[in-house]
Amino acid sequence: MNIRTGRIEDLQEIMALVARCVTVMQAGGSDQWDDQYPNREVIGEDLQRGTLFAAEGEGRILGIVVLDESQAEQYQTISWKQDEGPHLMMHRLAVDPEAHGQGIARTLVAFSEEYGARQGYRSLRLDTYAKNTAALKLYQGLGYDLRGEVNFPGRAESFPVFEKVLG
């Protein structure tokens, strides 16, 4: 498996991957993602900014992750372990349901940590939906500290917020 910066020509393939993820999430009772988010505009902007990374294997994209410095304003309420920055944010981690169980999410998280450390970030921060039990288990199992929770408009459940100090 190879992880590379996403390209604008990947947009259609990534949106198909996201649609498969949405179907699986909703079938499992989670309304974290839907037809409104993440949409073509959001993913297109990620690609244009060069912040979306794609895990490639078997001649196709198996997973994605977005890494940037964009923190939701709700994060201001969180008591962080590492106050001194800069801080890298992880968004939109997704693995094609057809490729689940191959360690792709763990590989993308490890890539994110290594990328952050190489770029001089002090910590990696993220949130996930309270109903996303697989993601909660993943982050806690990889040593991420639960720092609190935030709420976003239009979502029934809260979003636990995690941080891992880098370096």
Side-chain angles (χ1 to χ4, degrees), residues 4-10 14 46-48 50-54:
R4 63 166 174 81
T5 305
R7 299 182 289 260
I8 200 71
E9 57 266 24
D10 296 328
I14 291 169
D46 293 336
L47 290 166
Q48 286 178 333
T51 56
L52 185 145
F53 296 88

Side-chain angles (χ1 to χ4, degrees), residues 101-122:
Q102 297 178 27
I104 296 163
R106 286 177 176 274
T107 301
L108 283 165
V109 172
F111 167 84
S112 300
E113 292 171 10
E114 291 161 16
Y115 174 88
R118 266 196 329 270
Q119 299 292 324
Y121 289 98
R122 302 293 300 273

Side-chain angles (χ1 to χ4, degrees), residues 34-161:
D34 54 27
D35 59 352
Q36 301 298 309
Y37 178 87
N39 58 37
R40 288 182 77 83
E41 185 178 330
V42 169
I43 298 294
E45 287 175 11
D46 293 336
L47 290 166
Q48 286 178 333
R49 285 195 301 263
T51 56
L52 185 145
F53 296 88
E56 245 179 358
E58 305 162 14
R60 63 190 183 97
I61 295 173
L62 302 173
I64 61 166
V65 67
V66 174
L67 302 172
D68 64 24
E69 295 183 10
S70 176
Q71 263 188 131
E73 69 180 55
Q74 288 88 338
Y75 278 28
Q76 293 172 10
T77 64
I78 301 296
S79 173
W80 299 105
K81 190 171 188 172
Q82 177 59 270
D83 287 326
E84 290 184 34
H87 308 286
L88 185 63
M89 305 302 143
M90 183 190 305
H91 311 278
R92 296 180 275 291
L93 175 69
V95 173
D96 192 326
E98 297 169 6
H100 278 180
Q102 297 178 27
I104 296 163
R106 286 177 176 274
T107 301
L108 283 165
V109 172
F111 167 84
S112 300
E113 292 171 10
E114 291 161 16
Y115 174 88
R118 266 196 329 270
Q119 299 292 324
Y121 289 98
R122 302 293 300 273
S123 73
L124 184 57
R125 297 174 175 177
L126 60 100
D127 60 67
T128 192
Y129 202 45
K131 289 183 179 180
N132 191 338
T133 54
L136 292 168
K137 184 177 172 186
L138 172 72
Y139 298 128
Q140 289 171 321
L142 293 174
Y144 281 76
D145 292 317
L146 178 61
R147 303 306 300 167
E149 58 183 43
V150 295
N151 291 288
F152 291 108
R155 294 296 175 244
E157 300 291 327
S158 65
F159 287 73
V161 177

